[in-house]
Amino acid sequence: MSIQFQSKTLDTGMTIIAETDSHAHSAAAGFFVKAGARDEASKIMGVSHFLEHMMFKGTDELTTEDINQGFDRLGASNNAYTSREMTCFYAQVIPEHISTATDLLSKMMRPALRDADFDTEKQVILEEIAMYQDNPFWVLYEEATARHYGRHGLAHRVLGTKETVSAMTRDEMARYFQDRYSADKTVVALAGNVDFEKTVNQIEFLTKDWQRSVGKRDIEIPSVTPSEFTMKDPKVNRGYLIGIAQAPSANDDQRYAAALLAQMLGGIDNSKLHWALIESGLAEEAQAGYDGLDGTGDYYVYASGDPDKLDSIWEVISKEVRSLKDTITQDDLECLRSKMGTAATIGSERPGDRMQRLGRLWTMTGKYQPLEDELAKIESVTIDDLKAVCDQYPIDRCTLGRMIPADA
């Protein structure tokens, strides 16, 4: 694979990065904005996600039909997403259409924010919030995260709440856009069969009037105090529990060990929780995961089953977590390293996946890491590294939430 890394920082502060491959059969572009739920004032929680929707409602020159039909005519695979850390707008096309796709992405990043569009889309967001309220995992996860992080921005719900979205005004959104959607907080990632210099010149022209930002993200490590809570919901008939615990940050090399530990503990299949809970018939679902964040990170552990057995389920989870350090074998480690390395390698064969990896990594760390280096980092993780992370970031020292039927 003849992949070449290239980068350039424009006078506006915008960074453009690429992994180009002249032999690829597709090309991908993504605009990554370092603006997510953690960056919002609590009063306007959900504005990042709301703003993501508004990007597709048109600019002063383009209607929403112009944008949507423009991508359709290209046969593009395009979308957007918002997280606690960032908002991303992307498209993957055949190489001859990457210039037009980049043009559309650049222009839609400066929306008109019309009052009528704002009012209409607000109802769409409220419906989306209501839809997620029917998902026990999501409700419990958001509540546990909010309690875990307290007053820190990481406690914010990505969708916001019914109250914050209902009260939000168009002018508040416009001020947030002005502060956050700036050139120096935007990374453009390209991958595949792309003419880098030509695309840089194109983006530089299209974004020449973008402003610089004001203020910086708070990356102080949040102070958390583990606690327990129980929610009762008349809509559920099963029991659910989730634990949120601190973990290494996205900038910490310990993130590789943390990701391996989470997979070992609660991967979808062949994990310790799978065998201890699902195969034993004690729980219906059991999983664990790791999320590296800017300045910190977190684990989650989740399970569901008979409401009367939640205490027993948590006892088994706690036992597996406590024994994790002493039950790691070299065979386990090698299998996990192989699985993670294979997934990363397969993804590298798709320009769309490479663009996402490139953009997210640079937005979080400000650095480029070739896939070969990342694979080497994974391969270098030892049992002692895993044990060290177990000691430093105990997964059972968590904010623990339960959801049970209202009449339980």
Side-chain angles (χ1 to χ4, degrees):
M1 221 180 280
S2 55
I3 295 174
Q4 180 184 5
F5 174 72
Q6 297 172 273
S7 68
K8 183 169 183 178
T9 300
L10 305 181
D11 292 341
T12 57
M14 179 181 291
T15 301
I16 304 173
I17 52 179
E19 283 186 338
T20 58
D21 178 5
S22 60
H23 300 295
H25 297 292
S26 65
F31 282 68
F32 294 78
V33 184
K34 197 168 185 176
R38 69 180 294 169
D39 302 302
E40 303 161 352
S42 296
K43 180 177 181 289
I44 55 170
M45 188 194 307
V47 67
S48 300
H49 172 254
F50 195 161
L51 189 52
E52 173 209 319
H53 280 232
M54 291 298 292
M55 294 294 176
F56 291 89
K57 305 306 289 185
T59 70
D60 290 336
E61 292 81 26
L62 300 174
T63 67
T64 184
E65 290 81 10
D66 291 333
I67 293 172
N68 292 324
Q69 291 175 10
F71 284 119
D72 285 346
R73 281 193 294 270
L74 301 178
S77 174
N78 73 290
N79 212 329
Y81 59 84
T82 306
S83 70
R84 289 182 284 181
E85 301 287 338
M86 67 187 73
T87 308
C88 172
F89 305 84
Y90 64 91
Q92 184 170 357
V93 294
I94 58 176
E96 50 263 44
H97 292 329
I98 189 62
S99 178
T100 307
T102 303
D103 182 84
L104 271 173
L105 286 169
S106 299
K107 289 177 178 176
M108 67 180 278
M109 296 289 290
R110 285 299 178 264
L113 299 181
R114 289 178 279 265
D115 287 324
D117 293 331
F118 179 87
D119 294 339
T120 300
E121 204 61 27
K122 177 181 284 192
Q123 299 309 310
V124 174
I125 302 294
L126 291 173
E127 286 295 326
E128 189 174 356
I129 291 172
M131 178 185 71
Y132 275 96
Q133 289 302 305
D134 290 331
N135 184 324
F137 168 82
W138 190 255
V139 173
L140 194 55
Y141 173 80
E142 286 198 322
E143 183 64 25
T145 301
R147 290 173 181 259
H148 184 71
Y149 287 109
R151 294 181 179 276
H152 195 279
L154 287 170
H156 290 165
R157 300 161 197 250
V158 172
L159 299 184
T161 67
K162 179 180 178 181
E163 291 74 24
T164 60
V165 172
S166 295
M168 196 182 303
T169 67
R170 181 267 176 202
D171 289 347
E172 287 174 326
M173 175 180 283
R175 284 193 292 272
Y176 179 82
F177 173 84
Q178 189 70 22
D179 289 344
R180 294 287 173 179
Y181 270 66
S182 53
D184 54 318
K185 280 189 169 65
T186 302
V187 173
V188 182
L190 308 166
N193 195 341
V194 178
D195 183 327
F196 183 71
E197 290 301 326
K198 177 182 176 182
T199 307
V200 165
N201 291 335
Q202 177 190 11
I203 294 171
E204 185 171 29
F205 174 76
L206 290 166
T207 63
K208 64 182 184 298
D209 296 326
W210 287 27
Q211 77 284 356
R212 284 183 174 266
S213 63
V214 295
K216 294 183 178 180
R217 167 178 288 172
D218 175 16
I219 57 170
E220 181 180 349
I221 298 175
S223 175
V224 298
T225 303
S227 61
E228 293 190 22
F229 66 94
T230 299
M231 303 175 71
K232 291 191 173 186
D233 191 325
K235 299 191 297 292
V236 304
N237 296 304
R238 310 303 291 159
Y240 305 86
L241 62 82
I242 196 165
I244 306 291
Q246 281 189 295
S249 76
N251 304 287
D252 190 335
D253 277 351
Q254 284 186 308
R255 67 184 184 271
Y256 299 107
L260 288 167
L261 279 174
Q263 183 69 24
M264 184 180 298
L265 178 65
I268 294 176
D269 52 26
N270 202 31
S271 65
K272 292 183 179 295
L273 293 185
H274 176 86
W275 289 105
L277 290 172
I278 297 177
E279 289 297 326
S280 69
L282 184 57
E284 296 161 358
E285 300 173 282
Q287 58 183 273
Y290 160 72
D291 192 7
L293 306 168
D294 196 357
T296 187
D298 53 42
Y299 292 113
Y300 79 87
V301 181
Y302 170 76
S304 68
D306 186 329
D308 294 331
K309 296 180 179 178
L310 282 188
D311 287 343
S312 298
I313 291 172
W314 180 245
E315 286 177 9
V316 172
I317 291 174
S318 298
K319 178 183 176 182
E320 292 297 329
V321 168
R322 287 193 298 269
S323 67
L324 191 59
K325 174 182 174 181
D326 298 320
T327 57
I328 301 168
T329 68
Q330 191 64 35
D331 282 346
D332 289 337
L333 177 56
E334 289 176 3
C335 286
L336 287 167
R337 287 191 305 209
S338 178
K339 182 180 289 188
M340 187 178 292
T342 299
T345 302
I346 291 174
S348 73
E349 296 179 348
R350 297 185 290 260
D353 286 8
R354 283 197 281 116
M355 174 270 293
Q356 288 290 339
R357 173 185 173 274
L358 189 63
R360 286 196 291 258
L361 184 65
W362 193 285
T363 302
M364 295 292 287
T365 68
K367 299 176 183 177
Y368 171 64
Q369 185 174 56
L371 176 64
E372 293 77 14
D373 290 0
E374 187 165 42
L375 293 175
K377 292 277 189 182
I378 295 170
E379 284 297 318
S380 69
V381 174
T382 65
I383 290 179
D384 286 341
D385 293 331
L386 297 177
K387 290 181 177 181
V389 173
C390 282
D391 287 337
Q392 192 171 346
Y393 298 95
I395 300 175
D396 58 342
R397 187 178 183 272
C398 63
T399 299
L400 177 62
R402 296 177 176 84
M403 179 183 287
I404 56 177
D407 56 359

